[in-house]
Amino acid sequence: MALTSEQQQEIEAARAAEARTLRPTVPALEAMLFQAVPVLDHGFVRVIDYMGDDAAIVQAARVSYGRGTRAANEDRGLIRYLMRHRHSTPFEMCEIKFHVKLPIFVARQWIRHRTANVNEYSARYSILDREFYIPAPAQLAAQSAMNRQGRGNVLEGEEAARVLDLLREDASRNYDHYVEMLNEDEGGQPLDPSRQGLARELARMNLTLNAYTQWYWKTDLHNLFHFLSLRADAHAQYEIRVYAEAMMGMAEAWVPMAAGAFKDYRLGAVTLSAQMLAILRRMLTGEAVEQAGSGLSKREWRELMETLGRGE
Amino acid sequence: MALTSEQQQEIEAARAAEARTLRPTVPALEAMLFQAVPVLDHGFVRVIDYMGDDAAIVQAARVSYGRGTRAANEDRGLIRYLMRHRHSTPFEMCEIKFHVKLPIFVARQWIRHRTANVNEYSARYSILDREFYIPAPAQLAAQSAMNRQGRGNVLEGEEAARVLDLLREDASRNYDHYVEMLNEDEGGQPLDPSRQGLARELARMNLTLNAYTQWYWKTDLHNLFHFLSLRADAHAQYEIRVYAEAMMGMAEAWVPMAAGAFKDYRLGAVTLSAQMLAILRRMLTGEAVEQAGSGLSKREWRELMETLGRGE
Amino acid sequence: MALTSEQQQEIEAARAAEARTLRPTVPALEAMLFQAVPVLDHGFVRVIDYMGDDAAIVQAARVSYGRGTRAANEDRGLIRYLMRHRHSTPFEMCEIKFHVKLPIFVARQWIRHRTANVNEYSARYSILDREFYIPAPAQLAAQSAMNRQGRGNVLEGEEAARVLDLLREDASRNYDHYVEMLNEDEGGQPLDPSRQGLARELARMNLTLNAYTQWYWKTDLHNLFHFLSLRADAHAQYEIRVYAEAMMGMAEAWVPMAAGAFKDYRLGAVTLSAQMLAILRRMLTGEAVEQAGSGLSKREWRELMETLGRGE
Amino acid sequence: MALTSEQQQEIEAARAAEARTLRPTVPALEAMLFQAVPVLDHGFVRVIDYMGDDAAIVQAARVSYGRGTRAANEDRGLIRYLMRHRHSTPFEMCEIKFHVKLPIFVARQWIRHRTANVNEYSARYSILDREFYIPAPAQLAAQSAMNRQGRGNVLEGEEAARVLDLLREDASRNYDHYVEMLNEDEGGQPLDPSRQGLARELARMNLTLNAYTQWYWKTDLHNLFHFLSLRADAHAQYEIRVYAEAMMGMAEAWVPMAAGAFKDYRLGAVTLSAQMLAILRRMLTGEAVEQAGSGLSKREWRELMETLGRGE
């Protein structure tokens, strides 16, 4: 990420403008507010605004007239109870707004989460920056042989070098041609006065999917947790997971009790099917259960053994 | 409305706890924060929290790094343009949270607006207060003869008195029986130790639809405006319209530019069908158009004439 | 439930009108179509229309040009995989529409599920029928002493009789007064020509929460399963659970593979927190773990022991 | 569009499998079912399934036990009334499912409509076809000088030729490199056995935004109309508008009454602000109103004059 000095100034100006408020305020999140946390090679995520805190979850659960909080450990117990029993509506009472810069192919995964508000930078209206995502060498993975959606070994040597060259050259050439077709310099003047310039809404189609876009993305805490449960998960694609991990850190600063409960009861939790539970009960009596007579498919059996820390 | 002194104290305690924040802040709304605005005989609406301001709409529309605002009249022009052309996503970047006390039959209309977050006081879990909505005499209207969903003349004399007596007596008696079935006094002790008391989730079914409930209701500005466009409208039932009107006032304090644009382009606006527009163009050339040859039904013709201020 | 003979005729007429279609069709659900399954004393639920079948889930997961299905056991395996790994979008490709008659207090719980389409019978516009829910004696439960949202023992003897009398008399009297205030007989004529009659939108507030309403409720299969996971659960209130159970039966006729997967991986499944999983792994090595050193609260420990079939 | 013969066969097989149903059926839509309507150079849209018809709208509005329809002109009148007064819930009772092949930059606009169900072909899991959108010469428009989101004159001569060359060559080269990096032939065998092949989820980032993707897209009629009101509009980008127009034709076959009402009251309708309405009333009295004293901005005045057919 490289913010221009103008952008950095805008952020600093926003950070300088302190005001007084009666609203719930979270100093640990205020300390981060507006500041861009770098993600990938040119991306970032930053918190722009927030509403509510741990106490607002308690307040909503109690439908109270004042803050609604009691002793900290009572509040923590209530929040953990709500998370454990999937009472989701009190978590919806907190809201957060991010500004994210991200590759278009990541944006396409992200936008599938529908319960959020989004304003994306419009390439119909404006010209995108000359920035594309090129994976770091450690992320240049081969197709997994086991999992059609996954990654295998890291590419090395000539193959890795060739891939990086292709990604760089193609993105770069396509961007150059994008600007040529637009026929517009940075000041909005024609590069070649004899040409008209292609409409922006058309020229953008020449860009590659690793071009960076940016958006404002706002959601409530329940839906943020749902996003994080899918995208901070080990099965998520690396390029979106790094955003989710940065946002998880922000959530921990913002609502430490709720974020802790989320990690225990959702992110680190496992779900066992009715059949798996029956097998587990047999195992706990000391019975030696085998896949063959378990009623589980081989795949499910392997998943269960992994869950129980009994690989092979 | 009669807040208990304990509730009033909780509100005052919340109003006393000022903090510093870097977030956008709206002094005119801060001045109202937490305070209950009375609606109907025992209801109220109050703002509990908010996120964003007029500038946040501009900021999102521009996907900017800082506040994104320019001269006030440029911002106003942009907000009005967005409203006029139904670019709704920038308005979704502002969020507001209300605490509302309202009769159950009003809550049943209100909840039909699905794009909001709600935490309602649970009568499965807790005991409702002894409060019911009884219309003021001026609101005691007869069924409209013209409109099956509307109200006609105000009832008077004996009929009005009888209606008020019935509403009062039935709500009151049913509440007394609710408490009797629960067999619980205010301190949670059995009224009659020889009885077990009916489960709360069952006893509540004896209450009338004018009993008051309460909830936290949170929505974004776009959806708030959609709610207000339907419920602050003259066709809305009076008992929900008064809530919408109180909330409209809060929106004007919060986002004066957006609220002004909403009033001009939505609340006070009219939509003309393709056929109506064709007729209007003929009228503007001086042609005298009659319903008969207009292609409009009598009902639509009447609606058009009213819109144009040419009622009979 | 007592459908009038006119209603029964309308249903039979609809069942008589067979047509030819190229759409996926499910004979087991066609056999049930339009027919009212009785629920509670006057309620029912019936399927009005449906879109898709098990094969449509497979087709969407494969984004195929034709039906997309292969061997039945391959399809079943894919559907179970999708359910297990919470790939919810293919299940959203099936849609179902119900007509439900239900007490208002049940409708108020039900409507909290926001991702559905609803058309409710309007008491602003029409007059409700003289029908209220009165619990069967076996359902007349006391408040649970353990769980503030639950039921305890069944009420008996005098207390039960008194409760039933109160519920019946109050609902009945309030309905009589509702009609009196409306001043309208069944043919829409005034009962007393000297009175105007109260507006319907006002008179309805005198009804009790056990009065029956009805609605059309339409949702996709993913959201239906979410509804069933909460409402067909043992913790749901009995009066909504019986609707969910009837609908579960309809889902099994409609999409047997998906419904089977739902029962195994959702309805009968358990979720273990990170801490619970760690304890379980210790227990499987033969270690005797006690609540004291487990890191779980007493409540969570009890929940875990119940899950593992090791209650006291 | 060029369906492969295998795809065409799958479609024909689906069209051959007729069944009997009790559900509402629309012969005019059945006649189109599954068949791909070509859009742009390689895209298409086709209806895969539907639920409901015009009568289902009426049935839901009346919450009836049978079909709920009466005389055709009564039904038409009710549907037009519902559309005119924005009673949207009865339209939500109809549902339709499309299979769409479309360029990625169009998919990115389309997905912003959140109230739909989507299953997209996954380039994380599968390999995309070698197909890109290249505009027809008549669509190769310059940037509009008036409207930053619009198109101006068509490009001609050398500039047009150069743009087409660039778009074709860049998309083609990037696709070739995508395959090279994947190192996989059509049968899934390595092109070069000495290489591992880049993971699909990474290689896809080299594709251009005019590459074609495909998805299943399902929505209810109310939200379809909302989509069409924005995307079949003259201000929509041509490349999405052609899809919307094809879908408008399908909606007219499916629900002719509702589609007619939509065209009259939404698509062909205009909204006048409070200020515009006041001006109009003055004009209708014969007064000559000028922009100067109108209270409208120049831009709004121009919009109003265009609406009224009084351009310059």
Side-chain angles (χ1 to χ4, degrees):
Chain A
M1 175 199 56
L3 291 179
T4 64
S5 65
E6 193 191 350
Q7 288 159 357
Q8 197 58 54
Q9 273 171 30
E10 287 195 71
I11 290 173
E12 275 156 32
R15 280 197 60 80
E18 210 179 48
R20 305 192 70 78
T21 187
L22 299 178
R23 293 172 291 168
T25 300
V26 181
L29 193 60
E30 294 275 339
M32 296 179 179
L33 218 56
F34 311 141
Q35 313 214 54
V37 172
V39 183
L40 300 179
D41 51 355
H42 299 288
F44 62 75
V45 56
R46 61 193 193 106
V47 178
I48 293 302
D49 207 345
Y50 67 94
M51 171 195 275
D53 56 5
D54 274 327
I57 300 165
V58 168
Q59 181 191 44
R62 299 200 171 119
V63 192
S64 57
Y65 283 75
R67 285 277 145 91
T69 63
R70 298 183 191 163
N73 73 333
E74 263 189 77
D75 286 358
R76 183 183 310 274
L78 175 57
I79 287 174
R80 293 178 72 82
Y81 173 87
L82 295 170
M83 181 68 74
R84 199 159 69 244
H85 292 280
R86 298 200 170 241
H87 290 296
S88 54
T89 55
F91 297 100
E92 295 176 12
M93 287 290 146
C94 295
E95 190 89 12
I96 192 162
K97 182 161 62 176
F98 298 100
H99 179 191
V100 191
K101 187 166 184 178
L102 71 178
I104 290 174
F105 73 95
V106 174
R108 290 200 350 106
Q109 283 196 332
W110 193 312
I111 199 77
R112 300 303 312 280
H113 296 264
R114 286 161 293 185
T115 39
N117 309 116
V118 188
N119 279 270
E120 186 172 355
Y121 189 80
S122 169
R124 244 191 118 184
Y125 189 82
S126 305
I127 300 181
L128 287 188
D129 289 338
R130 198 185 203 292
E131 287 174 329
F132 344 101
Y133 168 61
I134 305 296
Q139 292 309 324
L140 216 62
Q143 177 65 31
S144 163
M146 304 276 288
N147 178 347
R148 289 188 67 185
Q149 297 196 59
R151 297 188 185 182
N153 299 328
V154 171
L155 299 189
E156 294 187 340
E158 240 178 87
E159 185 172 9
R162 171 72 177 156
V163 162
L164 289 176
D165 283 350
L166 288 177
L167 290 174
R168 239 183 248 115
E169 285 166 20
D170 285 356
S172 192
R173 181 194 306 105
N174 285 28
Y175 188 87
D176 291 342
H177 291 158
Y178 165 67
V179 172
E180 180 185 335
M181 291 189 286
L182 287 171
N183 192 37
E184 232 180 288
D185 69 14
E186 286 188 10
Q189 296 307 307
L191 295 169
D192 171 352
S194 75
R195 290 196 282 124
Q196 296 191 79
L198 186 64
R200 289 168 187 178
E201 67 179 29
L202 288 170
R204 61 172 163 171
M205 80 172 79
N206 205 55
L207 295 170
T208 46
L209 282 160
N210 57 351
Y212 273 89
T213 184
Q214 49 180 297
W215 62 32
Y216 272 50
W217 191 77
K218 168 174 157 286
T219 195
D220 64 63
L221 182 57
H222 167 65
N223 281 294
L224 176 64
F225 282 150
H226 185 65
F227 176 84
L228 295 178
S229 74
L230 294 174
R231 302 306 181 181
D233 182 90
H235 295 90
Q237 180 165 352
Y238 168 81
E239 281 77 17
I240 196 166
R241 198 170 67 233
V242 284
Y243 286 91
E245 286 165 356
M247 291 156 81
M248 185 70 220
M250 293 160 176
E252 290 181 276
W254 176 30
V255 281
M257 289 180 187
F262 167 69
K263 288 169 83 170
D264 290 342
Y265 298 118
R266 299 283 300 281
L267 209 52
V270 295
T271 297
L272 302 180
S273 69
Q275 289 85 348
M276 287 176 172
L277 181 60
I279 289 165
L280 187 62
R281 287 176 170 204
R282 287 163 60 194
M283 289 170 72
L284 283 171
T285 65
E287 188 182 336
V289 190
E290 304 279 315
Q291 185 264 325
S294 72
L296 296 190
S297 69
K298 283 183 185 169
R299 179 167 197 157
E300 283 187 84
W301 179 263
R302 200 174 56 234
E303 288 176 15
L304 177 60
M305 290 303 109
E306 275 168 23
T307 297
L308 301 178
R310 304 199 146 195
E312 284 318 278
Chain B
M1 176 199 56
L3 292 179
T4 63
S5 66
E6 193 191 350
Q7 288 159 356
Q8 197 58 53
Q9 272 171 31
E10 288 196 71
I11 290 172
E12 276 155 32
R15 281 198 59 80
E18 209 179 49
R20 307 191 69 79
T21 187
L22 300 177
R23 293 172 291 169
T25 300
V26 182
L29 193 59
E30 294 275 340
M32 297 179 179
L33 219 56
F34 311 141
Q35 312 214 54
V37 172
V39 182
L40 299 179
D41 50 356
H42 300 287
F44 63 75
V45 56
R46 61 193 193 106
V47 178
I48 294 301
D49 206 347
Y50 67 94
M51 171 195 274
D53 56 4
D54 274 327
I57 300 165
V58 168
Q59 182 191 45
R62 297 200 172 119
V63 191
S64 57
Y65 283 76
R67 285 277 145 89
T69 64
R70 298 183 191 162
N73 73 333
E74 264 190 75
D75 286 358
R76 183 182 309 274
L78 175 56
I79 286 174
R80 293 178 72 81
Y81 173 88
L82 296 169
M83 182 68 74
R84 197 159 71 244
H85 293 279
R86 299 200 168 240
H87 290 297
S88 54
T89 55
F91 297 101
E92 295 176 13
M93 288 289 147
C94 295
E95 191 88 13
I96 193 162
K97 183 161 61 177
F98 298 99
H99 179 191
V100 191
K101 188 165 184 180
L102 70 179
I104 289 175
F105 73 95
V106 173
R108 288 197 355 102
Q109 284 195 332
W110 193 313
I111 199 77
R112 300 302 313 282
H113 296 265
R114 286 161 293 185
T115 40
N117 309 116
V118 188
N119 278 271
E120 185 172 355
Y121 189 81
S122 168
R124 245 192 117 181
Y125 189 82
S126 306
I127 300 180
L128 289 187
D129 289 337
R130 198 184 203 292
E131 286 174 329
F132 344 101
Y133 169 60
I134 306 295
Q139 292 308 324
L140 216 61
Q143 177 65 31
S144 163
M146 303 277 287
N147 179 348
R148 288 189 67 186
Q149 298 196 59
R151 297 188 184 181
N153 300 328
V154 171
L155 299 189
E156 294 186 341
E158 240 177 86
E159 183 172 10
R162 170 74 177 154
V163 162
L164 289 177
D165 284 349
L166 288 176
L167 290 174
R168 240 184 248 114
E169 286 164 20
D170 284 356
S172 192
R173 180 193 307 106
N174 284 27
Y175 188 87
D176 291 343
H177 291 158
Y178 164 67
V179 173
E180 179 184 336
M181 291 189 286
L182 287 171
N183 192 37
E184 233 181 287
D185 70 14
E186 286 188 11
Q189 296 306 308
L191 296 168
D192 171 353
S194 75
R195 289 197 282 125
Q196 296 191 81
L198 186 63
R200 289 169 187 178
E201 67 181 27
L202 287 170
R204 61 171 163 172
M205 79 172 82
N206 205 54
L207 294 170
T208 46
L209 283 159
N210 57 351
Y212 274 88
T213 184
Q214 49 179 298
W215 61 32
Y216 273 51
W217 192 76
K218 168 174 156 287
T219 195
D220 65 62
L221 182 58
H222 167 65
N223 281 293
L224 177 64
F225 282 151
H226 185 65
F227 175 84
L228 295 178
S229 74
L230 293 174
R231 303 305 182 182
D233 182 89
H235 296 90
Q237 180 166 353
Y238 168 80
E239 281 77 16
I240 196 167
R241 198 169 67 232
V242 284
Y243 286 91
E245 285 165 355
M247 292 157 80
M248 185 70 221
M250 291 161 178
E252 290 181 277
W254 176 31
V255 283
M257 289 181 187
F262 168 69
K263 288 169 83 169
D264 289 344
Y265 297 119
R266 300 284 299 282
L267 208 53
V270 294
T271 296
L272 302 181
S273 70
Q275 289 85 348
M276 287 175 172
L277 181 61
I279 290 166
L280 187 62
R281 287 175 172 204
R282 287 163 60 194
M283 288 170 73
L284 283 170
T285 65
E287 188 181 337
V289 190
E290 304 278 316
Q291 185 266 325
S294 72
L296 297 191
S297 69
K298 283 184 185 169
R299 179 167 195 156
E300 283 187 83
W301 179 262
R302 199 174 57 233
E303 287 176 14
L304 178 60
M305 289 303 109
E306 274 167 25
T307 297
L308 300 179
R310 304 201 144 194
E312 282 316 274
Chain C
M1 175 199 57
L3 291 178
T4 64
S5 64
E6 194 192 349
Q7 288 160 356
Q8 197 58 54
Q9 273 170 30
E10 287 194 73
I11 290 173
E12 276 155 30
R15 280 198 60 81
E18 208 178 51
R20 306 191 71 79
T21 186
L22 300 177
R23 292 173 292 168
T25 300
V26 181
L29 193 60
E30 294 274 340
M32 296 179 179
L33 219 55
F34 311 141
Q35 313 215 52
V37 172
V39 183
L40 299 180
D41 51 355
H42 299 288
F44 63 75
V45 55
R46 61 193 194 106
V47 179
I48 293 301
D49 206 346
Y50 67 94
M51 172 196 273
D53 55 6
D54 274 327
I57 299 165
V58 168
Q59 182 191 46
R62 298 200 170 116
V63 191
S64 57
Y65 283 77
R67 285 277 145 90
T69 64
R70 300 185 188 159
N73 73 333
E74 264 190 77
D75 286 359
R76 182 182 311 273
L78 175 56
I79 286 174
R80 293 178 72 82
Y81 173 87
L82 296 170
M83 182 68 74
R84 198 159 70 243
H85 293 279
R86 299 202 169 239
H87 291 295
S88 54
T89 55
F91 297 100
E92 295 176 13
M93 287 291 146
C94 295
E95 191 90 12
I96 193 162
K97 183 161 60 177
F98 297 98
H99 179 190
V100 191
K101 187 165 185 179
L102 70 178
I104 290 174
F105 72 95
V106 173
R108 293 208 338 113
Q109 283 195 333
W110 193 312
I111 199 76
R112 300 302 313 280
H113 295 266
R114 287 161 292 184
T115 39
N117 309 115
V118 188
N119 277 271
E120 186 172 355
Y121 189 80
S122 169
R124 245 192 116 182
Y125 189 81
S126 306
I127 300 181
L128 288 187
D129 289 338
R130 197 185 204 293
E131 286 174 331
F132 345 100
Y133 169 60
I134 305 296
Q139 291 310 324
L140 216 62
Q143 177 66 31
S144 163
M146 305 276 289
N147 178 348
R148 289 190 66 186
Q149 298 196 58
R151 297 188 185 181
N153 299 329
V154 171
L155 299 190
E156 294 186 341
E158 242 177 84
E159 183 172 9
R162 171 71 177 157
V163 163
L164 289 177
D165 284 350
L166 287 177
L167 289 174
R168 239 184 247 113
E169 284 165 21
D170 284 356
S172 192
R173 181 194 306 105
N174 285 26
Y175 188 87
D176 291 342
H177 291 158
Y178 164 67
V179 173
E180 179 185 337
M181 291 189 286
L182 288 171
N183 193 36
E184 231 181 288
D185 69 15
E186 286 188 10
Q189 296 307 308
L191 295 168
D192 170 354
S194 75
R195 291 197 281 124
Q196 295 191 82
L198 186 63
R200 289 168 188 179
E201 67 179 28
L202 288 171
R204 60 171 164 172
M205 80 172 81
N206 205 54
L207 295 171
T208 46
L209 281 160
N210 58 350
Y212 274 88
T213 183
Q214 49 180 297
W215 62 32
Y216 272 51
W217 191 76
K218 167 173 158 285
T219 194
D220 64 63
L221 182 57
H222 167 65
N223 281 294
L224 177 63
F225 281 150
H226 185 66
F227 175 84
L228 294 179
S229 74
L230 294 174
R231 303 306 181 180
D233 182 89
H235 295 91
Q237 180 166 353
Y238 168 81
E239 281 77 16
I240 195 166
R241 197 168 69 233
V242 285
Y243 286 91
E245 286 165 355
M247 291 157 81
M248 185 70 221
M250 293 160 176
E252 290 181 277
W254 176 31
V255 282
M257 289 180 187
F262 167 69
K263 287 169 84 169
D264 290 343
Y265 298 118
R266 300 282 302 280
L267 209 52
V270 294
T271 296
L272 302 180
S273 70
Q275 289 85 347
M276 287 176 172
L277 180 61
I279 290 166
L280 188 62
R281 287 175 172 204
R282 287 164 61 195
M283 290 170 72
L284 284 170
T285 66
E287 189 181 335
V289 190
E290 304 279 315
Q291 186 263 326
S294 72
L296 297 189
S297 69
K298 283 184 185 168
R299 180 167 195 157
E300 283 187 84
W301 179 261
R302 199 174 58 232
E303 287 176 14
L304 177 60
M305 290 304 108
E306 275 167 24
T307 296
L308 300 177
R310 305 198 145 195
E312 279 320 89
Chain D
M1 176 199 57
L3 292 178
T4 64
S5 65
E6 195 193 349
Q7 288 159 356
Q8 196 59 53
Q9 273 170 31
E10 287 195 71
I11 290 173
E12 275 156 30
R15 281 198 59 80
E18 209 179 49
R20 306 192 69 78
T21 187
L22 299 177
R23 292 172 293 169
T25 300
V26 181
L29 193 61
E30 295 274 340
M32 295 179 179
L33 219 56
F34 311 141
Q35 312 215 54
V37 172
V39 183
L40 300 180
D41 51 355
H42 300 287
F44 63 75
V45 55
R46 62 194 192 103
V47 178
I48 294 301
D49 207 346
Y50 68 94
M51 172 196 273
D53 57 5
D54 273 327
I57 300 164
V58 168
Q59 182 191 43
R62 299 200 170 118
V63 191
S64 56
Y65 283 76
R67 285 277 144 90
T69 63
R70 299 184 190 161
N73 72 333
E74 263 189 77
D75 286 358
R76 182 183 310 274
L78 175 57
I79 286 174
R80 294 178 72 81
Y81 173 87
L82 296 170
M83 181 68 73
R84 197 159 70 242
H85 293 279
R86 299 201 169 241
H87 291 296
S88 55
T89 55
F91 297 100
E92 295 177 12
M93 288 290 147
C94 296
E95 190 89 13
I96 191 161
K97 183 161 61 177
F98 297 99
H99 179 191
V100 191
K101 187 165 185 179
L102 71 178
I104 289 174
F105 73 95
V106 174
R108 294 206 339 111
Q109 283 195 332
W110 193 311
I111 199 77
R112 302 301 314 281
H113 295 265
R114 286 161 293 185
T115 39
N117 309 115
V118 187
N119 278 270
E120 186 172 355
Y121 189 80
S122 168
R124 242 191 119 183
Y125 189 82
S126 305
I127 301 180
L128 287 188
D129 290 337
R130 197 184 203 293
E131 286 175 331
F132 344 101
Y133 168 60
I134 305 296
Q139 291 309 324
L140 217 61
Q143 177 65 31
S144 164
M146 305 277 289
N147 178 347
R148 288 189 68 185
Q149 297 197 60
R151 297 188 185 181
N153 300 328
V154 171
L155 299 189
E156 294 187 341
E158 241 178 86
E159 184 172 8
R162 171 73 177 157
V163 162
L164 290 176
D165 285 350
L166 288 176
L167 290 174
R168 240 184 248 114
E169 285 165 21
D170 284 355
S172 191
R173 181 193 307 105
N174 285 27
Y175 189 87
D176 291 342
H177 291 158
Y178 164 67
V179 172
E180 181 185 335
M181 291 189 286
L182 287 172
N183 192 38
E184 233 182 287
D185 69 14
E186 287 189 9
Q189 296 307 307
L191 295 169
D192 172 352
S194 75
R195 290 196 281 123
Q196 295 190 81
L198 185 64
R200 288 168 188 179
E201 68 181 28
L202 287 171
R204 62 172 163 170
M205 79 173 80
N206 205 54
L207 295 170
T208 46
L209 282 159
N210 57 351
Y212 274 89
T213 184
Q214 50 179 298
W215 62 33
Y216 272 50
W217 192 76
K218 167 173 157 285
T219 196
D220 65 63
L221 182 58
H222 168 65
N223 281 293
L224 177 64
F225 282 150
H226 186 65
F227 176 84
L228 295 178
S229 74
L230 293 174
R231 302 306 182 180
D233 182 89
H235 294 92
Q237 180 166 352
Y238 168 81
E239 282 77 16
I240 196 167
R241 198 169 68 233
V242 284
Y243 286 91
E245 286 165 356
M247 291 157 81
M248 186 69 222
M250 293 160 177
E252 289 181 278
W254 176 30
V255 282
M257 289 180 188
F262 168 69
K263 287 169 84 171
D264 289 343
Y265 298 117
R266 300 283 301 279
L267 209 52
V270 295
T271 297
L272 302 181
S273 69
Q275 291 85 346
M276 287 176 172
L277 181 61
I279 289 166
L280 187 62
R281 287 176 170 203
R282 287 163 61 194
M283 289 170 71
L284 282 170
T285 65
E287 186 181 336
V289 190
E290 304 278 317
Q291 185 265 325
S294 73
L296 297 190
S297 69
K298 283 184 185 167
R299 180 167 195 156
E300 283 187 84
W301 179 261
R302 198 174 58 234
E303 287 177 15
L304 178 60
M305 289 304 109
E306 275 167 23
T307 297
L308 301 178
R310 303 200 146 196
E312 281 320 274

